[in-house]
Amino acid sequence: TRGSAIPNDCTLFRFMLWCPFSYCLKQIGLIDDLYGMVLWGVTDTNKTGSSVMFSNLYTDKDVTLQKANTQSAMGSRLGENTFPLILDENKDILTDPRNEEFLKNIVTDKIGRSVKDRADNNSMNDFPSLRMTVSTLNKNIEYKPEFLKRYKVLYYDMSMQVKKQDKTNFNKKYRPISPDTPLKQLRHLGKAFA
């Protein structure tokens, strides 16, 4: 049912539509309207599920849904492609004050801040900031005003919880790995938008 989640889903869908082109927008200097996303709230409200589902506009979940709890892990993933990077339970990165500039640079800069090399902690690497991020959390974090200028934070409350039976039925019909899933029809919209 999740009717109360429609505004959040629409905001997330719009984000997924334009975010693969964010690097192009940075290259031509149109960064004022760019932002990353943080989805937080009650468990079982389909925060990660909706993110993965809407990313089917252009790609599949193996490309978008990943884990990263350090700057170096996240930095290397930001340079892989331009598809959205969905980070499930990403509180380690978001709550560490040392990451404030790093998180801002993801949205504003073509080349993000140098981060330690994953294989060699003594050397630093610059990473191209090709991707926008969607972070999902169950607990709220206090955000500074500077962060909120570059990230939209959406709250998912109890009314948005998905019943177990509804989830099972949905997954049977719309499983992204299924070759004939109706979600693959989103690709036509993605191609038209591109």
Side-chain angles (χ1 to χ4, degrees):
T1 50
R2 285 188 87 239
S4 58
I6 289 173
N8 282 5
D9 285 346
C10 288
T11 300
L12 183 58
F13 185 77
R14 277 194 303 270
F15 172 84
M16 291 295 183
L17 202 56
W18 64 258
C19 78
F21 307 98
S22 61
Y23 194 70
C24 299
L25 296 171
K26 289 179 191 181
Q27 288 177 310
I28 58 175
L30 299 175
I31 63 164
D32 290 341
D33 294 325
L34 299 182
Y35 56 87
M37 300 280 295
V38 177
L39 315 179
W40 78 278
V42 179
T43 57
D44 293 326
T45 49
N46 211 31
K47 299 179 291 293
T48 305
S50 293
S51 301
V52 169
M53 180 176 64
F54 293 149
S55 75
N56 274 285
L57 277 163
Y58 301 107
T59 185
D60 59 46
K61 71 173 186 173
D62 296 332
V63 174
T64 55
L65 182 59
Q66 298 187 24
K67 294 268 186 200
N69 56 11
T70 65
Q71 281 189 18
S72 57
M74 198 164 164
S76 65
R77 291 192 175 100
L78 288 167
E80 291 173 342
N81 57 60
T82 62
F83 298 122
L85 178 61
I86 302 166
L87 298 162
D88 193 22
E89 289 301 321
N90 194 32
K91 69 181 181 309
D92 292 342
I93 291 276
L94 294 175
T95 56
D96 190 334
R98 294 172 294 179
N99 294 330
E100 286 174 19
E101 198 65 21
F102 170 77
L103 291 167
K104 184 185 122 262
N105 287 351
I106 290 170
V107 178
T108 60
D109 296 355
K110 288 182 269 187
I111 300 296
R113 201 180 85 178
S114 294
V115 295
K116 286 183 179 175
D117 186 285
R118 291 175 77 185
D120 177 10
N121 280 336
N122 295 321
S123 67
M124 301 291 279
N125 284 339
D126 288 336
F127 62 87
S129 192
L130 302 179
R131 307 171 89 168
M132 288 291 161
T133 61
V134 179
S135 296
T136 66
L137 305 160
N138 289 332
K139 291 186 179 173
N140 192 21
I141 297 171
E142 291 296 319
Y143 302 102
K144 292 188 175 177
E146 300 80 32
F147 181 87
L148 295 174
K149 284 181 189 171
R150 293 295 172 197
Y151 286 82
K152 280 195 184 196
V153 180
L154 300 180
Y155 174 62
Y156 288 73
D157 63 32
M158 288 288 281
S159 69
M160 300 176 192
Q161 273 190 317
V162 180
K163 295 178 186 141
K164 192 164 190 152
Q165 186 58 45
D166 291 340
K167 198 177 205 177
T168 303
N169 292 341
F170 183 89
N171 285 337
K172 272 185 196 167
K173 184 170 182 182
Y174 294 102
R175 229 176 33 198
I177 57 170
S178 171
D180 59 346
T181 178
L183 289 179
K184 296 258 166 110
Q185 299 306 312
L186 287 174
R187 298 270 174 93
H188 299 302
L189 180 59
K191 285 178 184 172
F193 186 81

